[in-house]
């Protein structure tokens, strides 16, 4: 039976799953769940995924959600997956897990908070809470500093690795979500982190051509969002 991947290319973890599958020659059927339209909350989708989130996979009679778990499952199931994605060495594998565990409470938390307060709320005519916006930006900047000074201190990829792991794929896709910010805010937040910016470029190169293809929807939406935000503020970007 064909592996089914329920996803939305606007979703950071969905993009990580899709890039990984394409990089490793995993055959799958992509089923789009439009999260901006709330399709993740329909009774039909909740019947197979009570969490009402993407991504999710259905592999035969097995259903799995949470992107980190899905990627680990793929690495263990498919012998063709290159070992650098999920090392067999216990110590190296533990390092990858440590990055993944750190991700959600730090980089993802800060990134989501900044995007919600600076993009999604304003575009929907909801006033942003300045205090929450400031707290989210501080959380994001702290996470980027840890990326810059700790996770990337010993090599071009996370945890001192010479090739990307599933952790790089997840976290780079998260950083790419910041493309939805205004150009000014995006550059102000990211420009101080030279190692982070180089790591993004290195991961793009290591996953070409699939990285650009899978992020195409994000880039298109970035243009649309920036035009809308510029119109609301009376500026032309």
């Amino acid at each position: 039976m064909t592996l089914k991947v329920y996803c939305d290319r606007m979703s950071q973890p969905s993009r990580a799953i899709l890039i990984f599958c394409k990089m490793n020659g995993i055959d799958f059927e992509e089923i789009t769940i439009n999260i901006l339209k709330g399709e993740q909350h329909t009774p039909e989708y909740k019947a197979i995924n009570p969490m009402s989130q993407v991504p999710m996979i259905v592999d035969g009679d097995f259903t799995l959600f949470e992107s980190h778990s899905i990627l680990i499952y793929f690495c263990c199931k498919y012998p063709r997956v290159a070992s650098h994605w999920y090392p067999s060495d216990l110590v190296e594998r533990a390092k990858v897990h440590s990055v993944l565990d750190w991700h959600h409470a730090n980089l993802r938390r800060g990134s989501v908070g900044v995007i919600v307060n600076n993009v999604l709320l304003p575009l929907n005519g909801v006033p942003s809470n300045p205090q929450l916006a400031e707290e989210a930006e501080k959380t994001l900047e702290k996470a980027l500093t840890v990326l810059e000074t700790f996770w990337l201190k010993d090599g071009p990829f996370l945890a001192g690795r010479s090739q990307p792991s599933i952790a790089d794929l997840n976290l780079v896709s998260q950083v790419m979500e910041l493309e939805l910010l205004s150009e000014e805010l995006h550059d102000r937040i990211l420009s101080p982190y030279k190692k982070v910016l180089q790591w993004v470029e290195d991961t793009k190169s290591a996953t070409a051509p699939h990285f650009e293809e899978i992020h195409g929807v994000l880039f298109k939406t970035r243009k649309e969002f920036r035009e809308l935000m510029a119109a609301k503020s009376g500026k032309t970007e």
Side-chain angles (χ1 to χ4, degrees):
M1 296 179 68
T2 302
L3 169 70
K4 296 181 179 180
V5 177
Y6 293 79
C7 60
D8 185 337
R9 293 189 180 199
M10 283 298 294
S11 149
Q12 167 270 323
S14 291
R15 294 194 299 272
I17 297 296
L18 294 173
I19 294 170
F20 182 87
C21 287
K22 287 178 176 285
M23 284 295 299
N24 289 282
I26 298 172
D27 293 329
F28 66 97
E29 177 186 356
E30 181 179 349
I31 301 172
T32 299
I33 303 297
N34 191 316
I35 56 177
L36 292 179
K37 292 183 178 179
E39 292 178 358
Q40 72 274 29
H41 299 298
T42 63
E44 294 81 8
Y45 187 66
K46 291 183 75 171
I48 54 176
N49 184 357
M51 301 296 112
S52 296
Q53 296 176 332
V54 291
M56 176 190 74
I57 65 167
V58 176
D59 190 12
D61 59 359
F62 177 55
T63 299
L64 183 64
F65 36 86
E66 293 297 335
S67 62
H68 296 174
S69 298
I70 292 170
L71 288 170
I72 292 169
Y73 172 74
F74 286 161
C75 289
C76 295
K77 176 175 180 176
Y78 297 104
R80 71 173 76 87
V81 172
S83 61
H84 65 84
W85 291 111
Y86 192 59
S88 57
D89 178 82
L90 180 61
V91 171
E92 293 302 313
R93 180 175 289 190
K95 291 178 183 179
V96 171
H97 276 271
S98 69
V99 180
L100 292 173
D101 289 345
W102 174 84
H103 169 217
H104 272 157
N106 295 277
L107 183 62
R108 182 163 178 78
R109 179 179 163 218
S111 171
V112 169
V114 167
I115 290 168
V116 167
N117 282 283
N118 291 280
V119 180
L120 299 183
L121 290 181
L123 285 179
N124 285 282
V126 179
S128 176
N129 183 313
Q131 182 179 348
L132 293 179
E134 182 180 357
E135 289 174 0
E137 191 168 328
K138 286 181 179 178
T139 298
L140 177 58
E141 289 175 347
K142 182 179 178 181
L144 290 169
T145 298
V146 173
L147 268 180
E148 180 90 0
T149 62
F150 181 71
W151 294 122
L152 290 169
K153 69 182 176 68
D154 295 322
F157 297 101
L158 297 173
R161 301 191 58 75
S162 60
Q163 292 178 284
S165 72
I166 58 174
D168 293 276
L169 208 48
N170 262 293
L171 273 67
V172 160
S173 296
Q174 189 73 63
V175 171
M176 289 300 296
E177 200 80 358
L178 300 174
E179 293 288 326
L180 296 176
L181 300 173
S182 68
E183 185 174 2
E184 179 182 0
L185 181 56
H186 173 274
D187 292 347
R188 177 171 65 77
I189 290 175
L190 279 175
S191 61
Y193 303 99
K194 306 305 181 188
K195 285 186 179 180
V196 171
L197 292 172
Q198 184 58 55
W199 162 69
V200 171
E201 292 304 313
D202 290 343
T203 307
K204 283 183 185 180
S205 297
T207 55
H210 306 299
F211 191 98
E212 293 290 334
E213 179 224 331
I214 297 301
H215 280 83
V217 172
L218 180 74
F219 297 144
K220 181 176 182 290
T221 305
R222 171 187 62 189
K223 182 176 183 296
E224 294 171 354
F225 278 11
R226 287 182 177 180
E227 288 173 351
L228 285 170
M229 287 188 289
K232 282 181 176 290
S233 63
K235 299 177 181 178
T236 301
E237 216 175 289

